[in-house]
Amino acid sequence: MEFKQLEAFVQISKLQSFSKASEALFLTQPALSSQINALEKEIGTQLFIRSTKKVFPTKAGINFYGYAQKMLALRDQSLCEMGNYSKECAGEINILASSVPSQYMLPQLIADFNKEYPNIIFRLYQKDSGGVFEELIQYQYDIGFVGTETESYRYKLSSLCKDQLVLILPKDMEYTGKQSAEEASRFITDKSFIMREQGSGTREALKGFLSKNGILEKDLRVIAYFSSTQGIMEAVSQGLGISFVSRVAAKVYENMNRINIVEIESEQLNRDIFYVQKKDMILTPAQELFVGYAKKCYQNVKS
């Protein structure tokens, strides 16, 4: 069994395509197929089901993926340990993140990281928090970032930073009351309200705030459900209604003078942004570098 065979197997599993994997590895498709055939012969079982559109792992392939990923990660770690975590470190990081991290945190973080480690390639995918927990376990994703917790035994969560939900209003609407949860609750119940979709970490935090103040979703005048924070802020700026979104996201539209922000005094509107790792997964040096860099950056922000 050779490392190049394991690399071929992992890339095909992630990309679900022989042609895309051959491009990523700079190999011809016949050469890639030859490596997989040799690996299947050595293991003694078929690893992929080939279809006209996608390639799917067999049950044996699913079981073997974890071992292959760990062997490659250990190889890379040992090579780095013999030298240093240098700027020459290369690799690929596939991230699945919910809307706030993917749109308003990770782009800047990746840009800053790239200045120090230019040879590491990123693939960033977006789902709501529920979707991240459902799909992160799949091969094409390495690590995740979300705005809510899970009880799933499949993942390890680490708090990366604190976030706060704020009330956002159209520019021509003023909030003149106190910033208490009680007054804010009375204010929002008779206004047109824009809600995030099911599975959103923002929605889960908002539900806690509403419940604490005796408000059910049916008590709100919900006129629209949006699948992204960006969509909600654009709708609010156009006067469609009011909503709650992450403060880090809202500041973008506030700086453009398109919405008003109200910070409500309530613990229920505070939450953590979490880094998510598959349980028992061994990070590659590139992944480990980025995770450590992200944690260090936000520790500096806290201090």
Side-chain angles (χ1 to χ4, degrees):
M1 187 181 301
E2 300 177 5
F3 283 123
K4 63 182 180 180
Q5 295 170 342
L6 298 177
E7 289 172 345
F9 170 76
V10 167
Q11 281 292 346
I12 295 168
S13 299
K14 285 185 174 183
L15 301 175
Q16 298 181 328
S17 165
F18 270 76
S19 60
K20 291 180 180 178
S22 66
E23 291 175 6
L25 294 170
F26 302 102
L27 291 172
T28 64
Q29 285 195 52
L32 190 68
S33 296
S34 177
Q35 289 183 357
I36 295 301
N37 290 336
L39 182 62
E40 289 178 326
K41 184 176 180 180
E42 184 171 353
I43 293 175
T45 188
Q46 183 179 350
L47 296 173
F48 292 111
I49 299 171
R50 289 111 165 137
S51 72
T52 54
K53 293 184 177 180
K54 286 188 176 182
V55 177
F56 300 95
T58 62
K59 185 176 180 180
I62 293 172
N63 292 334
F64 183 65
Y65 180 85
Y67 294 108
Q69 186 273 331
K70 289 177 183 177
M71 283 188 279
L72 290 174
L74 285 171
R75 176 203 62 180
D76 293 344
Q77 281 190 346
S78 64
L79 290 174
C80 278
E81 287 295 331
M82 295 304 294
N84 292 303
Y85 280 172
S86 72
K87 296 184 188 300
E88 299 303 314
C89 183
E92 182 175 294
I93 305 174
N94 297 271
I95 301 173
L96 183 60
S98 59
S99 62
V100 169
S102 66
Q103 293 175 12
Y104 303 102
M105 297 171 61
L106 290 170
Q108 183 64 60
L109 192 63
I110 291 171
D112 293 340
F113 180 81
N114 176 258
K115 293 173 185 176
E116 295 192 38
Y117 304 99
N119 298 320
I120 296 176
I121 299 170
F122 288 84
R123 298 181 192 273
L124 180 58
Y125 305 87
Q126 181 181 319
K127 294 281 183 181
D128 59 44
S129 291
V132 172
F133 288 127
E134 287 178 10
E135 298 191 23
L136 181 60
I137 202 68
Q138 296 181 22
Y139 301 128
Q140 60 263 50
Y141 312 118
D142 299 319
I143 57 178
F145 294 88
V146 294
T148 190
E149 295 186 74
T150 182
E151 296 180 354
S152 174
Y153 68 92
R154 299 182 298 182
Y155 303 115
K156 294 188 293 186
L157 274 70
S158 302
S159 177
L160 184 68
C161 62
K162 296 291 182 181
D163 186 29
Q164 177 190 9
L165 300 188
V166 295
L167 176 64
I168 60 172
L169 315 174
K171 196 63 189 171
D172 60 0
M173 183 184 293
E174 294 293 333
Y175 181 87
T176 56
K178 296 179 181 179
Q179 292 176 289
S180 67
E182 189 176 28
E183 284 208 26
S185 298
R186 285 197 295 267
F187 177 82
I188 68 176
T189 51
D190 64 347
K191 305 291 190 301
S192 296
F193 197 87
I194 305 168
M195 183 72 78
R196 277 295 301 271
E197 83 293 351
Q198 291 282 359
S200 158
T202 298
R203 179 169 173 149
E204 288 302 307
L206 178 58
K207 279 172 61 179
F209 168 76
L210 295 174
S211 176
K212 181 74 173 180
N213 292 280
I215 301 174
L216 301 176
E217 187 176 328
K218 66 180 182 64
D219 298 324
L220 300 175
R221 288 175 50 196
V222 179
I223 60 170
Y225 293 85
F226 277 70
S227 63
S228 73
T229 300
Q230 176 72 29
I232 286 181
M233 292 193 298
E234 186 63 31
V236 170
S237 74
Q238 297 296 332
L240 181 62
I242 67 173
S243 191
F244 282 87
V245 299
S246 165
R247 187 178 186 278
V248 68
K251 292 298 288 185
V252 175
Y253 268 60
E254 184 188 44
N255 291 340
M256 292 190 293
N257 202 33
R258 297 186 62 185
I259 61 171
N260 291 324
I261 290 179
V262 184
E263 295 187 12
I264 307 301
E265 297 169 355
S266 173
E267 283 297 317
Q268 281 72 42
L269 295 176
N270 296 327
R271 64 173 183 171
D272 288 291
I273 299 296
F274 294 96
Y275 152 68
V276 189
Q277 182 180 330
K278 302 170 192 176
K279 207 163 190 180
D280 301 324
M281 176 182 175
I282 298 175
L283 296 178
T284 66
Q287 294 161 3
E288 196 170 74
L289 268 175
F290 180 68
V291 171
Y293 184 89
K295 290 179 178 178
K296 183 178 179 180
C297 283
Y298 284 103
Q299 281 174 358
N300 291 338
V301 170
K302 291 174 189 176
S303 59

